Amino acid sequence: MSSLGIRPSACLLAATLVACGSGEADTRIMSRDSAGVALLSYPANAWDSTPTWALSDKPIVILGGDSVDATMDLSTASAATLLGSGRSVVSTANPAELLLFDADGKREARLGAPGDGPGEFHAVSQLLHFGGDTLFAFDPSQQKGLFFAANGMPLGERILPSTNAPVPPSLRGRLENGVFVFSLDMVTDPPPAGVPKAFRNRLVVLGLNARTDHYDTLAISRGAELVPSTMMVGGQAAVIPKPLIFGATTQVVVGRDRWYLTTADRFEIETHDTSGKLLRVVRLDVPIRPVGPGDQEKYKATVREAYDRLKGVVSPEALAGELKKLDATEFANHFPAIAQIMTDGDGNLWVNRGFSLIDKVRSWLVFNPDGRLIGRVDTPLGSVLAISGDRVVVNRKNPMSGRVRLEIYGLTRTTAVLAKPDSGKP
């Protein structure tokens, strides 16, 4: 397993991950050991035959939204985690805050403060908890993590080493052995020659041992689907890739002593151990869902609504320019097979099927750490931010007031005969 240090090097991180001075990078997933990899393949009807898990009819707790506390705004909530005793922590981007809530949804405290100093953050993109409800809040712009006790008391911070990459890595989770797992989407790689539309740059999965200042390369895969675009920089046109709307986005999550990866263009999830070794591939046969005119219009309407909220903050000329670009948006021909993967407090893997903006619910399959299909769950419209053993946090807009709130639903699991996959070697 190669190591990436913080010492200066003539090779950029992108080259170091493959080999300094090498030719064109190989974008295939790198497997250190192709022997002994299990393949679990499920038929399409496994989706309907899997035991149904149910959420409570109504939220058991509501955070923000219609709260009488006018100083609390969760409309930019970007991350959340569930602590013991029913408590929860939420991070927001504007204003940048870390909010601690009690079991009844009442705000107990603000953790830390925005800023550049010790114990301060710009914005928190990931919240983890481990040990005795120790909270870890990751600030990607400053590349540091802040530690808090369950009662909100600060416990110090960890400045992460540099990767020498043009883009900062994204924290994906922490393994039981203390290794932090990051993904590095090399969006600054030049587009390959002769590509008519979508392409995918490299995505690198890195491991950082808490006791060292070196990143280990765990795997190399493909990043999000991109399309070529141009931007005027210093009076000259520069090629700047941008995301393909409704295109596939590679997902990496951590669950206890393993981590998972999917390129999302088909329903296939890899399971890797702490060293990066590929242990298992889980597949499900699902039909392709085309992106239709209604999906495109719904997306544009959603973006226009977001731009409308920026009136008075962004200049009218800038907004007009962005709205003009919206008309030329590049859309994928079909939805990705997988929209999102997450892990819950028991180490189970939740897989969200690629969805349309006009769907009525979000549909998930749940696999245990051994790759067995154990549950099927429908969640309300909105982003699922956190899952524990019996609670699910969904970021939703109240259709009556229009205010965003976080709804915590109770989760009831059903025990029944599990769907059986075909097993073999890929």
Side-chain angles (χ1 to χ4, degrees):
M1 183 166 59
S2 61
S3 295
L4 301 175
I6 60 173
R7 55 187 182 279
S9 171
C11 295
L12 292 175
L13 172 65
T16 308
L17 295 173
V18 184
C20 289
S22 66
E24 202 169 329
D26 189 348
T27 59
R28 295 172 299 176
I29 295 174
M30 303 301 238
S31 173
R32 292 177 176 77
D33 182 5
S34 60
V37 179
L39 171 63
L40 302 182
S41 181
Y42 291 90
N45 62 8
W47 192 287
D48 295 324
S49 61
T50 300
T52 299
W53 294 3
L55 297 187
S56 55
D57 292 335
K58 296 181 180 179
I60 57 176
V61 177
I62 294 177
L63 311 179
D66 301 315
S67 169
V68 294
D69 185 351
T71 67
M72 183 168 55
D73 181 6
L74 300 186
S75 62
T76 59
S78 55
T81 191
L82 294 160
L83 305 176
S85 304
R87 304 164 89 200
S88 55
V89 178
V90 177
S91 73
T92 60
N94 186 24
E97 291 186 316
L98 278 176
L99 303 175
L100 174 65
F101 295 89
D102 66 15
D104 296 322
K106 181 181 178 181
R107 186 179 64 184
E108 286 189 355
R110 287 186 175 94
L111 309 184
D116 301 313
E120 297 178 340
F121 51 86
H122 290 172
V124 170
S125 65
Q126 179 70 280
L127 291 167
L128 307 175
H129 71 94
F130 39 85
D133 270 348
T134 298
L135 179 70
F136 181 84
F138 177 65
D139 179 354
S141 65
Q142 298 190 77
Q143 284 295 292
K144 72 177 182 180
L146 309 175
F147 294 89
F148 297 92
N151 61 1
M153 180 178 295
L155 299 176
E157 63 180 40
R158 167 83 192 276
I159 305 296
L160 303 181
S162 171
T163 60
N164 297 323
V167 291
S170 298
L171 178 64
R172 298 305 178 189
R174 177 181 180 270
L175 294 160
E176 284 184 332
N177 64 0
V179 170
F180 289 97
V181 176
F182 297 82
S183 66
L184 188 58
D185 204 337
M186 306 300 289
V187 295
T188 55
D189 282 353
V195 176
K197 191 177 180 182
F199 63 94
R200 305 182 78 160
N201 286 334
R202 293 167 301 141
L203 179 137
V204 185
V205 182
L206 302 173
L208 175 65
N209 192 302
R211 295 179 294 276
T212 71
D213 281 334
H214 297 278
Y215 292 93
D216 294 322
T217 306
L218 302 181
I220 300 177
S221 183
R222 298 176 296 151
E225 285 191 285
L226 305 170
V227 290
S229 181
T230 57
M231 172 180 276
M232 297 302 295
V233 179
Q236 295 186 352
V239 177
I240 305 293
K242 63 180 182 180
L244 177 66
I245 304 304
F246 298 130
T249 300
T250 300
Q251 306 276 323
V252 178
V253 298
V254 176
R256 295 190 173 178
D257 63 345
R258 62 201 69 193
W259 58 271
Y260 304 90
L261 180 147
T262 178
T263 56
D265 45 359
R266 59 178 177 172
F267 203 106
E268 180 175 289
I269 307 104
E270 300 176 3
T271 303
H272 295 255
D273 69 9
T274 55
S275 70
K277 178 181 177 180
L278 180 61
L279 302 177
R280 182 183 306 109
V281 178
V282 174
R283 294 173 182 163
L284 178 68
D285 182 19
V286 295
I288 292 176
R289 302 184 64 192
V291 174
D295 301 305
Q296 297 182 15
E297 289 306 313
K298 179 67 174 178
Y299 170 81
K300 291 179 181 180
T302 302
V303 175
R304 290 190 187 100
E305 182 182 337
Y307 285 160
D308 191 59
R309 292 196 294 268
L310 294 177
K311 288 181 178 178
V313 179
V314 179
S315 71
E317 294 79 11
L319 280 178
E322 292 303 316
L323 286 171
K324 186 176 180 180
K325 292 179 184 178
L326 186 61
D327 293 331
T329 299
E330 294 270 9
F331 291 95
N333 294 325
H334 56 81
F335 294 100
I338 295 174
Q340 184 182 10
I341 57 176
M342 301 181 70
T343 52
D344 62 21
D346 296 321
N348 298 316
L349 178 69
W350 288 53
V351 183
N352 183 198
R353 183 176 178 178
F355 57 83
S356 164
L357 295 179
I358 58 179
D359 287 350
K360 301 300 183 184
V361 295
R362 302 288 185 252
S363 297
W364 301 75
L365 288 179
V366 186
F367 299 85
N368 71 12
D370 295 324
R372 296 298 302 272
L373 188 49
I374 59 175
R376 174 168 60 96
V377 188
D378 286 341
T379 59
L381 297 183
S383 301
V384 175
L385 298 183
I387 308 167
S388 71
D390 59 358
R391 291 177 293 161
V392 176
V393 181
V394 184
N395 185 330
R396 283 171 51 78
K397 179 189 289 186
N398 186 323
M400 300 299 294
S401 68
R403 296 196 65 188
V404 173
R405 64 189 194 181
L406 270 58
E407 299 177 350
I408 302 179
Y409 291 85
L411 174 65
T412 301
R413 307 185 184 202
T414 301
T415 303
V417 178
L418 305 182
K420 186 176 181 181
D422 295 325
S423 299
K425 299 298 175 78

